[in-house]
Amino acid sequence: MKTADSPKHDTGSLPRLARACTRHRWIVIGAWVVLLVGVNAAAGAVGPDFKTDFTFPESETKQVQELLEANAPDRAGFTAQIVARSEQGFDDPDVRATLEDLLAFVDSQGDITVTSPYDSPQQISPDGTIAFAQLDIADTRSFTELTDIGNEIIDYGTKVNTVDGLQIEYGGDLFAEFVMPESEIYGLIAAVIILILAFGSVLAMGLPIGTALFGLGVASALVTIGSHIISMPDFTTAMVAMIGIGVGIDYALFIVTRYRENLRAGASVEDAIVASMDTSGRAVLFAGITVIIALMGLFLMGLNFVQGVAVASALGVLLVMASSLTLLPALLGWVGRRIDQTTWAALAAVALVVVGAIVGIFAGASAVFIAGLGLAIVLFAASFAIRPLRRFVPHRHEAPREQQGWYRWSRFIQHRPWPSAIAAVVVLVVLAIPLLSIRLGFGDYGNYPQDATVRKAYDLIADGFGPGSNGPLFVTVEGAAATDQAQLGAFVAAIEATPDVAFTVPNPISDSVALVIVYPDSAPQDAETSTLVDALRNEVIPASGLDAKVGGFTAGATDFSAYLGSRMPLLIGVVLALSFLLLMAVFRSILVPLKAVIMNLLSIGAAYGVIVAIFQWGWFSDVIGVAKPGPIDAWIPMFLFAIVFGLSMDYEVFLLSRIKEEYERTKNNSLAVADGLAATARVITAAALIMFCVFFAFVLGDDRSLKLFGFGLAIAVLIDATIVRMLLVPATMELLGDKNWWIPRWLDRILPRIDVEGHHGEFNTTDDDSSGGATISGEPMPVDGAQPADRTQSVR
């Protein structure tokens, strides 16, 4: 039992929680196991109910959609095409019989309006070799149901097409294959490799990953259950996994790193855990809250499917944060001082699993991974009989902090603060310049791989009718003109005379509504198509005097982009303001939170600029497999801002909280910056590398939008963890000196106090049931050859 006074870390609820979790570790571990199994059993019983509740914001497109829903529901959904190329033309009896058979099968599926090329001659190319059938699908079925229908149509078409020289391809949303990259798998492999290399311990690697997986497992199950309550799109679980695995490993990693540091400073196991939770644990709690605030800021966008993703992602962050603050202390209490002990058998077993996983993923053979896992189990079992396998891997000698590379780097920057700060700002501003020309929109199927049927269909239509035929505009006409052939004909003629219009197809719908389908010359994602939408709305329709509106998905992309662009300043402003206030309360400073907000904006702006240069301008696009330049998908900037800002604040809090802790102890700003950077740089770099690998895995897929999203996240994390965190922060902290920590007295009095530095004091430890540590008082005792933790005889 404890015989000495408890250290000062016992004040506060978080240290008491940590001590309780450590002493009752088996109850805590058991509770998490029961929770994990229970919620996953419940999720398995009810099943998922994911659906994309996508509705256009208030706009002309939405008015067109509502009008069509009331008069022609099939026209109010989305479109697809069945495209054919026939060497013998489309009057050939066998060709016509095959296509009519296929189109009859499509029509029998229900809620699909088929416009056959045999009923609409404009849908046969001038040379008579390419034709397409337009499919208008009512939005009455789930994503899974529509995917199944699309697969059935393709299978039926393959079966009935026995005509030589007849090629049939399938285009549009109904036939597109959407495969979410398993980025969390790549992230886990990267985490194992990076943490082993960085810390040289299997347990120090395994605890952060295991803790994150527990929290993520519970969160994913709760999200599945929650999909019955809140509308969530199909990709929600993948988004939760991507964010959860990243921040979960980060949070646990910071705590484990501080725990090992405290052990080496001479603390008992229990006191090392409590002290870690009272310092790094507080930073984790605050950082998690900041990420949740950034994600919940997405509610300001006013879109249902965005709000569903925001709630699910915030829940994921909350659960991995909870596992880091409760499960991790229990696991650390169980592992104790073995945290730095790794046998050759354990190291070799991990290597076998990693190699098997990498080869299995890229070879597409799960048997390789299973074989690697089996060999790892055999090797580990053999270590109980073969003594050399149980030998410990030698510890790497850790140099005194003043001799470490990151300490010397900080001193290098601090001796040259102006050149360093100016260079960093110039680089960030230059990278952000392309942002000034950003064009929001949506990519089209011309970006898909050339062997995909949707890409082949896109290319065939573009060859036969021009690229604009892949994204028609829907123009509705209401009133008497809808049935007045003269008026409607004159209106159609005016539309066809408009630049960038290829041809039109008028369709009467009811006695009071007509639909004119307009096929542009330009592709759906081209800027010229957006210009055509504006010309029809602002010039052609007003000049006609008719009650007409322009809608459809292609026009909707223009409206949706404009809507999101108008809401982004509100999202950015609210998130920045809340983050500034929180950071001001935490660090009792005006300049520190102001710098943090500005630097995060610079890093995000630089990331935006890079994706504009690559995906919109086409610079180096071939390197990452982007087929052609196009707009930045309208949904990406808002998600990118929320996620990247939250992660940037994570690193900011972890670094600044350690610097503030050192400053409170030494009252020496320069020394505090150097010590704080040296203490956190390795773990921040490791965490950033893990996140980079998780996000960059999206670039390995075929979908342009996912490539854009993943590359933007990866480059933002890379910029933030290098240029900002390791160059700009120490330079500006040195330039401002003690002014970093200035705050007006009146403001200091009214601000709530949020302590993320914890309490500083000396450990008084003794052998007890939980620690088995040696009694120390006064100067920290080096462990495993490590030097004392600092130069002031105080353990942090």
Side-chain angles (χ1 to χ4, degrees):
M1 299 297 293
K2 185 168 285 294
T3 58
D5 295 336
S6 295
K8 296 178 183 179
H9 299 282
D10 273 11
T11 59
S13 56
L14 199 57
R16 288 196 296 271
L17 174 64
R19 197 174 293 278
C21 290
T22 305
R23 292 181 175 178
H24 305 288
R25 48 186 170 269
W26 292 115
I27 295 176
V28 174
I29 294 172
W32 270 97
V33 171
V34 170
L35 179 62
L36 179 65
V37 174
V39 295
N40 275 277
V46 301
D49 186 28
F50 295 110
K51 52 185 177 295
T52 303
D53 184 13
F54 180 82
T55 55
F56 286 108
E58 288 300 327
S59 61
E60 190 166 317
T61 298
K62 186 174 183 179
Q63 295 173 18
V64 170
Q65 184 183 32
E66 291 173 346
L67 180 64
L68 292 176
E69 285 175 348
N71 293 273
D74 293 352
R75 302 284 192 181
F78 53 95
T79 62
Q81 301 83 31
I82 295 178
V83 191
R85 181 198 292 273
S86 174
E87 296 175 358
Q88 56 268 54
F90 291 93
D91 291 329
D92 181 87
D94 292 336
V95 170
R96 180 162 187 155
T98 299
L99 290 178
E100 288 183 339
D101 185 7
L102 174 58
L103 296 180
F105 176 79
V106 174
D107 190 60
S108 69
Q109 301 301 307
D111 292 332
I112 299 178
T113 298
V114 180
T115 304
S116 168
Y118 295 108
D119 298 328
S120 177
Q122 300 98 321
Q123 294 172 208
I124 299 177
S125 64
D127 65 3
T129 60
I130 299 174
F132 70 92
Q134 183 77 11
L135 312 183
D136 295 300
I137 302 105
D139 190 12
T140 57
R141 293 168 174 163
S142 69
F143 177 82
T144 303
E145 290 174 327
L146 290 172
T147 301
D148 292 340
I149 291 174
N151 291 333
E152 290 175 7
I153 292 173
I154 292 175
D155 291 341
Y156 188 84
T158 303
K159 182 179 70 173
V160 300
N161 183 16
T162 59
V163 181
D164 291 336
L166 176 61
Q167 175 189 359
I168 303 177
E169 302 296 345
Y170 305 85
D173 297 338
L174 186 64
F175 305 108
E177 293 184 5
F178 179 80
V179 180
M180 197 77 169
E182 296 179 338
S183 62
E184 63 273 17
I185 303 298
Y186 295 105
L188 287 175
I189 294 173
V192 171
I193 297 172
I194 292 168
L195 295 182
I196 285 286
L197 292 177
F199 301 105
S201 167
V202 170
L203 284 174
M205 171 274 295
L207 287 180
I209 294 176
T211 302
L213 289 178
F214 258 91
L216 181 59
V218 175
S220 297
L222 290 177
V223 167
T224 299
I225 297 172
S227 66
H228 293 267
I229 304 171
I230 302 174
S231 177
M232 298 179 184
D234 301 81
F235 61 85
T236 301
T237 52
M239 186 76 78
V240 172
M242 177 191 69
I243 298 173
I245 200 68
V247 300
I249 292 176
D250 283 5
Y251 294 164
L253 178 58
F254 280 99
I255 294 172
V256 168
T257 301
R258 195 59 178 266
Y259 167 72
R260 297 174 73 212
E261 182 180 320
N262 289 336
L263 280 183
R264 289 174 179 173
S268 68
V269 169
E270 182 176 304
D271 286 347
I273 294 171
V274 174
S276 301
M277 298 300 296
D278 194 32
T279 49
S280 292
R282 289 175 184 266
V284 163
L285 179 62
F286 179 76
I289 291 172
T290 306
V291 175
I292 290 172
I293 289 174
L295 290 170
M296 297 306 287
L298 291 171
F299 267 73
L300 297 170
M301 304 308 290
L303 298 170
N304 289 337
F305 83 94
V306 174
Q307 293 170 357
V309 175
V311 170
S313 301
L315 181 63
V317 173
L318 179 65
L319 265 297
V320 296
M321 181 177 67
S323 65
S324 295
L325 299 178
T326 56
L327 177 61
L328 183 57
L331 293 174
L332 289 173
W334 171 47
V335 170
R337 295 186 178 277
R338 292 171 295 168
I339 187 75
D340 286 320
Q341 296 176 352
T342 298
T343 64
W344 286 106
L347 191 61
V350 170
L352 285 171
V353 173
V354 169
V355 171
I358 294 175
V359 175
I361 288 174
F362 286 100
S366 58
V368 177
F369 169 71
I370 295 173
L373 180 62
L375 287 174
I377 294 173
V378 170
L379 178 64
F380 190 75
S383 68
F384 291 96
I386 304 174
R387 183 179 297 273
L389 293 176
R390 298 200 303 272
R391 290 177 182 169
F392 292 121
V393 178
H395 286 253
R396 288 180 294 187
H397 175 71
E398 187 169 317
R401 183 168 293 170
E402 308 89 80
Q403 299 177 20
Q404 294 177 10
W406 286 112
Y407 184 93
R408 292 197 297 269
W409 170 258
S410 179
R411 282 309 201 190
F412 175 83
I413 297 299
Q414 288 175 300
H415 290 153
R416 302 161 183 83
W418 277 113
S420 300
I422 292 172
V425 170
V426 168
V427 170
L428 292 174
V429 170
V430 169
L431 290 176
I433 287 175
L435 173 61
L436 298 175
S437 65
I438 190 171
R439 180 170 68 88
L440 299 180
F442 287 93
D444 54 39
Y445 288 111
N447 297 294
Y448 266 60
Q450 293 184 351
D451 59 349
T453 187
V454 289
R455 172 64 184 275
K456 292 177 181 178
Y458 180 95
D459 290 340
L460 284 175
I461 290 180
D463 290 342
F465 307 91
S469 299
N470 286 286
L473 306 176
F474 283 11
V475 179
T476 57
V477 179
E478 294 182 79
T483 54
D484 187 323
Q485 293 297 322
Q487 278 190 293
L488 187 61
F491 179 59
V492 170
I495 293 176
E496 291 180 339
T498 306
D500 198 42
V501 173
F503 63 96
T504 64
V505 179
N507 290 277
I509 291 179
S510 68
D511 293 339
S512 60
V513 178
L515 173 66
V516 180
I517 302 178
V518 180
Y519 292 91
D521 282 324
S522 52
Q525 70 176 25
D526 290 347
E528 291 82 359
T529 304
S530 298
T531 302
L532 173 60
V533 172
D534 293 336
L536 292 175
R537 288 174 173 173
N538 301 327
E539 299 172 17
V540 177
I541 291 176
S544 71
L546 300 184
D547 183 6
K549 295 180 176 64
V550 182
F553 182 80
T554 303
T558 301
D559 292 338
F560 190 74
S561 301
Y563 173 82
L564 291 182
S566 67
R567 304 287 289 185
M568 277 296 292
L570 178 62
L571 170 65
I572 293 173
V574 170
V575 172
L576 291 183
L578 289 176
S579 300
F580 177 82
L581 293 174
L582 282 172
L583 288 173
M584 189 166 56
V586 166
F587 295 112
R588 321 307 293 179
S589 165
I590 296 291
L591 293 178
V592 164
L594 182 61
K595 284 191 304 155
V597 166
I598 293 174
M599 289 177 188
N600 286 341
L601 276 180
L602 282 173
S603 66
I604 294 172
Y608 282 169
V610 172
I611 63 175
V612 168
I614 293 176
F615 289 86
Q616 184 176 315
W617 292 358
W619 293 4
F620 307 108
S621 57
D622 292 340
V623 177
I624 57 175
V626 177
K628 60 180 182 178
I632 304 302
D633 287 43
W635 60 272
I636 285 178
M638 62 175 174
F639 277 113
L640 200 64
F641 172 79
I643 295 172
V644 170
F645 186 83
L647 294 176
S648 298
M649 293 304 292
D650 269 3
Y651 301 144
E652 186 79 11
V653 169
F654 290 132
L655 175 58
L656 290 181
S657 63
R658 191 58 182 265
I659 292 175
K660 179 70 183 303
E661 180 184 332
E662 298 293 337
Y663 180 78
E664 291 294 329
R665 184 176 53 80
T666 65
K667 299 303 179 184
N668 184 321
N669 182 74
S670 295
L671 185 62
V673 172
D675 278 345
L677 186 64
T680 59
R682 182 172 64 170
V683 69
I684 287 178
T685 303
L689 279 173
I690 293 169
M691 295 299 293
F692 179 85
C693 293
V694 171
F695 296 145
F696 198 78
F698 280 75
V699 180
L700 303 178
D702 293 326
D703 187 88
R704 178 183 184 271
S705 297
L706 293 181
K707 282 179 179 288
L708 203 165
F709 184 53
F711 187 82
L713 290 171
I715 201 69
V717 168
L718 184 64
I719 290 171
D720 187 79
T722 54
I723 299 175
V724 173
R725 218 56 59 204
M726 301 306 165
L727 186 63
L728 193 54
V729 168
T732 54
M733 295 289 286
E734 178 68 20
L735 286 172
L736 293 172
D738 290 340
K739 297 184 182 68
N740 283 300
W741 315 109
W742 173 82
I743 188 171
R745 291 183 180 179
W746 64 268
L747 186 57
D748 186 50
R749 285 194 300 269
I750 64 175
L751 280 176
R753 293 195 172 272
I754 306 173
D755 186 5
V756 297
E757 298 94 40
H759 303 86
H760 321 304
E762 300 171 0
F763 290 107
N764 295 307
T765 62
T766 185
D767 288 332
D768 59 28
D769 295 338
S770 64
S771 69
T775 302
I776 301 175
S777 182
E779 181 176 345
M781 182 180 73
V783 177
D784 296 331
Q787 297 298 316
D790 59 56
R791 299 177 295 285
T792 61
Q793 312 301 323
S794 174
V795 177
R796 298 179 298 285

